[in-house]
Amino acid sequence: MDGTLLDDDGHVPDAFWPLLDDLLRAGIVFVPASGRQYQTLHGMFGERDGLIYIAENGTSVMQGGSSLHREPVEDAAIAPLVEWVRTTVADGADLGIVVCGARTAYIERTDAAFVDHVRRYYAAVEIVADVHAACLDDDVLKLAIYDAGRAETRSGPAIRGLGLPADVVVSGPNWVDVMHRGANKGRALVRLQRHLGVSREQTMAFGDYLNDAEMLDAAGHSYAMANAHASIRARARHTAASNAEAGVVSSIREALPNLKPVLVP
């Protein structure tokens, strides 16, 4: 989504919507795959036949409002990470944690700048006194740490050094995601391919950042955006125009020249 389908202002390009109608009319499944929560993605795209969501970096797959697959974080990873964030903040770091439950996301940092930033990605969010206590009766799909500095070189390595029973991935310049071991967009995509009876060579995938790597590996037709992280550009088979140029739309149109447009009476 961010840096891939969405433009630099965070909007879906206008040219995408007629393309989506053409894809669904042709029986082609379209899957928004994102580190964002399902509720946020659903608010952007809604429910349509042929639309499936890979949310929370692959830890949740949803169709028609029902869960096809879910991989919660191990309980043993949650409390130590929450405590590490609190301690690091007390030492002066500009960090915030989002505990991403299946029902809602939980935050305990309350300044307006952080809350506004979180709401960009999480439509369902609760401000609570204690994120760990608040999530005890919810499936925690992901722990997202916001780092106002450089996540790739600072908080990412530090969190990996904690030795948590979880995978740690840098999902953006300011975000580190902590998830169930082995969970990622690629594993979710492979499971979805099996569920649908779709092969790797029948799959196109687009990405721009480190949390897209395994998803690109799972697609026979993998595209890195022109604005992608260098390692993602090296990993993909093709390059799409940048997100600012609606590269996802133009690449799909180019790859499917016989896709018939919806006829408007």
Side-chain angles (χ1 to χ4, degrees):
M1 295 294 293
D2 297 279
T4 301
L5 177 61
L6 304 184
D7 64 22
D8 288 340
D9 294 322
H11 299 139
V12 177
D14 291 341
F16 169 77
W17 298 110
L19 171 63
L20 179 60
D21 290 337
D22 295 347
L23 291 171
L24 299 183
R25 178 174 176 268
I28 297 171
V29 176
F30 184 81
V31 184
S34 178
R36 295 177 180 231
Q37 69 178 176
Y38 164 68
Q39 292 91 332
T40 303
L41 297 174
H42 182 270
M44 300 175 76
F45 295 95
E47 293 293 352
R48 310 182 192 197
D49 291 339
L51 197 63
I52 300 175
Y53 295 99
I54 293 177
E56 303 285 16
N57 269 339
T59 62
S60 175
V61 182
M62 300 286 293
Q63 182 179 27
S66 299
S67 176
L68 296 181
H69 175 69
R70 186 177 288 174
E71 284 191 274
V73 178
E74 289 189 32
D75 290 343
I78 299 173
L81 184 58
V82 170
E83 186 57 33
W84 177 84
V85 170
R86 290 171 178 166
T87 300
T88 307
V89 168
D91 289 339
D94 189 358
L95 302 180
I97 187 167
V98 185
V99 176
C100 309
R103 185 173 64 248
T104 190
Y106 307 92
I107 58 175
E108 58 187 32
R109 179 172 163 176
T110 60
D111 60 283
F114 178 71
V115 173
D116 288 347
H117 194 69
V118 168
R119 290 191 186 280
R120 175 181 175 185
Y121 304 101
Y122 300 91
V125 59
E126 293 182 12
I127 301 174
V128 298
D130 183 334
V131 291
H132 187 208
C135 74
L136 291 177
D137 63 345
D138 200 352
D139 281 340
V140 176
L141 302 173
K142 186 184 71 180
L143 300 157
I145 291 80
Y146 172 77
D147 183 345
R150 289 289 301 174
E152 187 174 357
T153 57
R154 189 172 70 171
S155 52
I159 293 169
R160 289 190 187 98
L162 298 177
L164 302 173
D167 281 353
V168 179
V169 61
V170 177
S171 58
N174 302 111
W175 288 98
V176 179
D177 289 340
V178 178
M179 303 173 295
H180 188 281
R181 282 175 172 162
N184 54 62
K185 294 178 186 177
R187 184 151 87 175
L189 178 55
V190 169
R191 285 182 166 137
L192 185 55
Q193 287 166 335
R194 292 171 182 163
H195 174 74
L196 297 173
V198 171
S199 72
R200 181 176 179 273
E201 289 305 317
Q202 292 173 308
T203 305
M204 296 176 69
F206 297 82
D208 74 293
Y209 217 76
L210 302 176
N211 59 330
D212 297 319
E214 295 86 357
M215 179 179 67
L216 296 180
D217 292 344
H221 305 274
S222 56
Y223 289 76
M225 311 308 292
N227 53 287
H229 190 283
S231 67
I232 296 301
R233 293 198 305 272
R235 198 156 183 154
R237 292 177 61 180
H238 308 282
T239 301
S242 75
N243 67 308
E245 301 171 288
V248 171
V249 174
S250 59
S251 294
I252 293 176
R253 289 289 188 194
E254 182 179 347
L256 301 172
N258 296 322
L259 190 66
K260 298 184 183 300
V262 174
L263 298 178
V264 179

Tab-separated table of all heavy atoms in Angstrom, residues 200-221:
chain	number	residue	atom	x	y	z
A	200	ARG	N	1.979	-20.045	-8.598
A	200	ARG	CA	2.930	-18.939	-8.480
A	200	ARG	C	3.009	-18.157	-9.784
A	200	ARG	O	3.081	-16.928	-9.773
A	200	ARG	CB	4.301	-19.501	-8.092
A	200	ARG	CG	5.397	-18.463	-7.913
A	200	ARG	CD	6.687	-19.136	-7.432
A	200	ARG	NE	7.749	-18.159	-7.270
A	200	ARG	CZ	8.570	-17.776	-8.252
A	200	ARG	NH1	8.427	-18.307	-9.464
A	200	ARG	NH2	9.510	-16.877	-8.025
A	201	GLU	N	2.995	-18.864	-10.902
A	201	GLU	CA	3.109	-18.185	-12.196
A	201	GLU	C	1.835	-17.457	-12.592
A	201	GLU	O	1.841	-16.687	-13.550
A	201	GLU	CB	3.507	-19.197	-13.283
A	201	GLU	CG	4.937	-19.689	-13.163
A	201	GLU	CD	5.951	-18.533	-13.149
A	201	GLU	OE1	5.788	-17.602	-13.961
A	201	GLU	OE2	6.882	-18.563	-12.334
A	202	GLN	N	0.762	-17.671	-11.882
A	202	GLN	CA	-0.480	-16.934	-12.123
A	202	GLN	C	-0.626	-15.745	-11.184
A	202	GLN	O	-1.694	-15.142	-11.119
A	202	GLN	CB	-1.689	-17.870	-11.950
A	202	GLN	CG	-1.801	-18.950	-13.012
A	202	GLN	CD	-2.907	-19.941	-12.691
A	202	GLN	OE1	-2.949	-20.497	-11.583
A	202	GLN	NE2	-3.794	-20.159	-13.639
A	203	THR	N	0.456	-15.411	-10.491
A	203	THR	CA	0.398	-14.382	-9.452
A	203	THR	C	1.321	-13.219	-9.782
A	203	THR	O	2.490	-13.408	-10.115
A	203	THR	CB	0.821	-14.977	-8.095
A	203	THR	OG1	0.015	-16.115	-7.802
A	203	THR	CG2	0.670	-13.950	-6.983
A	204	MET	N	0.789	-11.998	-9.674
A	204	MET	CA	1.577	-10.774	-9.751
A	204	MET	C	1.628	-10.149	-8.363
A	204	MET	O	0.624	-10.151	-7.648
A	204	MET	CB	0.946	-9.760	-10.712
A	204	MET	CG	0.889	-10.187	-12.155
A	204	MET	SD	0.014	-8.959	-13.183
A	204	MET	CE	1.194	-7.591	-13.125
A	205	ALA	N	2.775	-9.621	-7.996
A	205	ALA	CA	2.904	-8.941	-6.707
A	205	ALA	C	3.762	-7.695	-6.883
A	205	ALA	O	4.714	-7.688	-7.676
A	205	ALA	CB	3.513	-9.870	-5.658
A	206	PHE	N	3.425	-6.662	-6.110
A	206	PHE	CA	4.135	-5.395	-6.163
A	206	PHE	C	4.588	-5.022	-4.757
A	206	PHE	O	3.840	-5.206	-3.796
A	206	PHE	CB	3.212	-4.287	-6.687
A	206	PHE	CG	2.740	-4.499	-8.102
A	206	PHE	CD1	1.668	-5.338	-8.370
A	206	PHE	CD2	3.377	-3.867	-9.163
A	206	PHE	CE1	1.230	-5.538	-9.673
A	206	PHE	CE2	2.945	-4.063	-10.462
A	206	PHE	CZ	1.876	-4.895	-10.718
A	207	GLY	N	5.795	-4.464	-4.643
A	207	GLY	CA	6.274	-4.067	-3.332
A	207	GLY	C	7.337	-2.998	-3.409
A	207	GLY	O	7.901	-2.737	-4.479
A	208	ASP	N	7.613	-2.397	-2.249
A	208	ASP	CA	8.618	-1.328	-2.214
A	208	ASP	C	9.547	-1.415	-1.021
A	208	ASP	O	10.607	-0.781	-1.030
A	208	ASP	CB	7.935	0.039	-2.209
A	208	ASP	CG	7.299	0.355	-0.857
A	208	ASP	OD1	6.331	-0.315	-0.487
A	208	ASP	OD2	7.777	1.275	-0.164
A	209	TYR	N	9.177	-2.218	0.033
A	209	TYR	CA	10.014	-2.159	1.231
A	209	TYR	C	10.329	-3.565	1.735
A	209	TYR	O	9.872	-4.573	1.184
A	209	TYR	CB	9.363	-1.301	2.321
A	209	TYR	CG	10.395	-0.501	3.085
A	209	TYR	CD1	10.972	0.634	2.527
A	209	TYR	CD2	10.843	-0.909	4.337
A	209	TYR	CE1	11.951	1.351	3.207
A	209	TYR	CE2	11.809	-0.204	5.022
A	209	TYR	CZ	12.365	0.933	4.452
A	209	TYR	OH	13.349	1.630	5.115
A	210	LEU	N	11.129	-3.631	2.800
A	210	LEU	CA	11.703	-4.891	3.250
A	210	LEU	C	10.656	-5.928	3.629
A	210	LEU	O	10.888	-7.132	3.480
A	210	LEU	CB	12.644	-4.631	4.436
A	210	LEU	CG	13.801	-3.650	4.146
A	210	LEU	CD1	14.594	-3.390	5.418
A	210	LEU	CD2	14.700	-4.173	3.045
A	211	ASN	N	9.507	-5.492	4.124
A	211	ASN	CA	8.476	-6.445	4.510
A	211	ASN	C	7.716	-7.009	3.305
A	211	ASN	O	6.792	-7.800	3.474
A	211	ASN	CB	7.490	-5.808	5.497
A	211	ASN	CG	6.800	-4.583	4.934
A	211	ASN	OD1	7.343	-3.855	4.107
A	211	ASN	ND2	5.588	-4.324	5.402
A	212	ASP	N	8.121	-6.630	2.097
A	212	ASP	CA	7.523	-7.178	0.875
A	212	ASP	C	8.376	-8.283	0.255
A	212	ASP	O	7.966	-8.895	-0.734
A	212	ASP	CB	7.332	-6.072	-0.171
A	212	ASP	CG	6.376	-4.991	0.283
A	212	ASP	OD1	5.345	-5.339	0.888
A	212	ASP	OD2	6.649	-3.807	0.028
A	213	ALA	N	9.551	-8.541	0.802
A	213	ALA	CA	10.514	-9.428	0.142
A	213	ALA	C	9.955	-10.826	-0.115
A	213	ALA	O	9.998	-11.338	-1.243
A	213	ALA	CB	11.788	-9.511	0.984
A	214	GLU	N	9.430	-11.476	0.911
A	214	GLU	CA	8.939	-12.852	0.751
A	214	GLU	C	7.719	-12.911	-0.170
A	214	GLU	O	7.513	-13.892	-0.878
A	214	GLU	CB	8.596	-13.451	2.112
A	214	GLU	CG	9.794	-13.639	3.040
A	214	GLU	CD	10.136	-12.404	3.862
A	214	GLU	OE1	9.484	-11.360	3.675
A	214	GLU	OE2	11.072	-12.491	4.685
A	215	MET	N	6.902	-11.867	-0.168
A	215	MET	CA	5.747	-11.816	-1.049
A	215	MET	C	6.192	-11.782	-2.509
A	215	MET	O	5.608	-12.463	-3.370
A	215	MET	CB	4.894	-10.599	-0.727
A	215	MET	CG	3.669	-10.441	-1.608
A	215	MET	SD	2.678	-8.999	-1.153
A	215	MET	CE	3.805	-7.659	-1.597
A	216	LEU	N	7.229	-11.017	-2.805
A	216	LEU	CA	7.743	-10.982	-4.169
A	216	LEU	C	8.302	-12.342	-4.572
A	216	LEU	O	8.140	-12.781	-5.717
A	216	LEU	CB	8.818	-9.901	-4.293
A	216	LEU	CG	8.340	-8.465	-4.074
A	216	LEU	CD1	9.508	-7.494	-4.218
A	216	LEU	CD2	7.216	-8.087	-5.028
A	217	ASP	N	8.947	-13.037	-3.638
A	217	ASP	CA	9.468	-14.373	-3.932
A	217	ASP	C	8.355	-15.356	-4.272
A	217	ASP	O	8.559	-16.308	-5.037
A	217	ASP	CB	10.245	-14.916	-2.731
A	217	ASP	CG	11.536	-14.148	-2.466
A	217	ASP	OD1	11.993	-13.416	-3.364
A	217	ASP	OD2	12.080	-14.294	-1.345
A	218	ALA	N	7.165	-15.141	-3.701
A	218	ALA	CA	6.056	-16.077	-3.888
A	218	ALA	C	5.282	-15.824	-5.177
A	218	ALA	O	4.366	-16.588	-5.498
A	218	ALA	CB	5.103	-15.993	-2.692
A	219	ALA	N	5.638	-14.794	-5.914
A	219	ALA	CA	4.915	-14.437	-7.134
A	219	ALA	C	5.810	-14.640	-8.349
A	219	ALA	O	6.960	-14.184	-8.369
A	219	ALA	CB	4.445	-12.986	-7.077
A	220	GLY	N	5.275	-15.304	-9.358
A	220	GLY	CA	6.048	-15.502	-10.580
A	220	GLY	C	6.324	-14.205	-11.306
A	220	GLY	O	7.317	-14.070	-12.018
A	221	HIS	N	5.435	-13.235	-11.131
A	221	HIS	CA	5.578	-11.927	-11.767
A	221	HIS	C	5.717	-10.890	-10.649
A	221	HIS	O	4.726	-10.351	-10.155
A	221	HIS	CB	4.379	-11.625	-12.653
A	221	HIS	CG	4.119	-12.691	-13.674
A	221	HIS	ND1	4.747	-12.724	-14.904
A	221	HIS	CD2	3.328	-13.795	-13.626
A	221	HIS	CE1	4.342	-13.785	-15.583
A	221	HIS	NE2	3.486	-14.447	-14.826
